[in-house]
Amino acid sequence: GAGVSQSPSNKVTEKGKDVELRCDPISGHTALYWYRQSLGQGLEFLIYFQGNSAPDKSGLPSDRFSAERTGGSVSTLTIQRTQQEDSAVYLCASLTPNTEAFFGQGTRLTVV
Amino acid sequence: TQLLEQSPQFLSIQEGENLTVYCNSSSVFSSLQWYRQEPGEGPVLLVTVVTGGEVKKLKRLTFQFGDARKDSSLHITAAQPGDTGLYLCAGPNTGGFKTIFGAGTRLFVKA
């Protein structure tokens, strides 16, 4: 596709359940980021993939959060045993070599 | 740690007014980008500034990169309700492998 695609666009889950969020980046972009955005707030860095290098996981808030990127393309963010404080919009971005970021529309996660 | 500080955090103005928002750092950046995020959408890239002192214009928006490449400003002339959104500045860290975002300026333009 022409842009970054995220799915699902909305997810409502019960507390304690696991969720998987998917990001399809722009073809050819080697860098991919996940951010979290709470209502009315800025972007909270979660994790960063760059080519075949080990990902920068320094922003993951707890060990319930993990992410992988298969084949240097599609990425999945997994949240285990979801908590209400995990409710937020999760944004994915892929970057050009000039570090210009193209964002998906996000997944709005609601934990009830 | 490189940080980008944006000010003001929140700005509410009347349609037709002019405004300037700022993005400051104590570190030098090789480039800075400005993004706008509208409600329910992901941020969208507006412009990239690369050269110290550079000025770029995008219709009613004027972007400036400081001479020392440590700061940038965004000036909007005759703001319109369609300018409402979260304005984010961002830049690559020293190694150039990680993009750092400011916390943003939330702009609301009243009709």
Side-chain angles (χ1 to χ4, degrees):
Chain A
V4 177
S5 177
Q6 290 188 246
S7 60
S9 54
N10 282 284
K11 177 72 175 180
V12 180
T13 189
E14 291 181 351
K15 178 180 173 181
K17 295 285 180 68
D18 297 352
V19 295
E20 282 191 355
L21 312 180
R22 177 186 169 104
C23 173
D24 280 279
I26 293 172
S27 178
H29 284 188
T30 58
L32 184 150
Y33 284 77
W34 283 97
Y35 293 93
R36 180 167 69 176
Q37 188 174 35
S38 299
L39 188 63
Q41 301 299 311
L43 303 180
E44 177 188 2
F45 167 75
L46 296 177
I47 189 169
Y48 162 57
F49 296 90
Q50 172 63 54
N52 295 321
S53 301
D56 178 347
K57 304 179 181 180
S58 60
L60 295 178
S62 78
D63 58 9
R64 296 186 295 104
F65 287 72
S66 63
E68 62 178 20
R69 189 178 184 191
T70 54
S73 181
V74 171
S75 178
T76 302
L77 176 68
T78 301
I79 308 173
Q80 295 178 310
R81 305 181 302 282
T82 53
Q83 303 294 313
Q84 287 186 327
E85 61 262 29
D86 299 334
S87 296
V89 175
Y90 289 81
L91 289 162
C92 172
S94 68
L95 275 68
T96 69
N98 293 331
T99 71
E100 295 173 337
F102 291 82
F103 285 84
Q105 289 197 312
T107 294
R108 182 174 299 279
L109 175 66
T110 304
V111 182
V112 297
Chain B
T1 304
Q2 290 176 282
L3 294 174
L4 287 169
E5 296 183 350
Q6 293 191 243
S7 61
Q9 290 183 325
F10 182 80
L11 190 56
S12 179
I13 61 171
Q14 289 292 141
E15 181 177 6
E17 292 183 0
N18 301 332
L19 66 117
T20 302
V21 298
Y22 300 92
C23 174
N24 295 299
S25 177
S26 58
S27 305
V28 174
F29 282 82
S30 59
S31 65
L32 281 178
Q33 295 134 14
W34 284 92
Y35 296 81
R36 178 171 64 210
Q37 183 181 25
E38 299 181 12
E41 303 289 329
V44 174
L45 178 67
L46 296 175
V47 77
T48 300
V49 286
V50 178
T51 306
E54 180 177 7
V55 176
K56 282 192 173 179
K57 293 193 174 184
L58 185 65
K59 296 183 180 178
R60 296 174 292 100
L61 278 60
T62 302
F63 304 85
Q64 185 163 8
F65 201 11
D67 291 341
R69 291 185 287 129
K70 292 183 178 181
D71 55 85
S72 181
S73 64
L74 159 59
H75 182 80
I76 301 179
T77 303
Q80 299 177 359
D83 297 327
T84 292
L86 177 67
Y87 288 81
L88 297 158
C89 67
N93 72 348
T94 301
F97 297 120
K98 185 172 175 178
T99 294
I100 299 166
F101 276 86
T105 292
R106 194 165 296 277
L107 172 66
F108 182 66
V109 182
K110 294 175 284 188

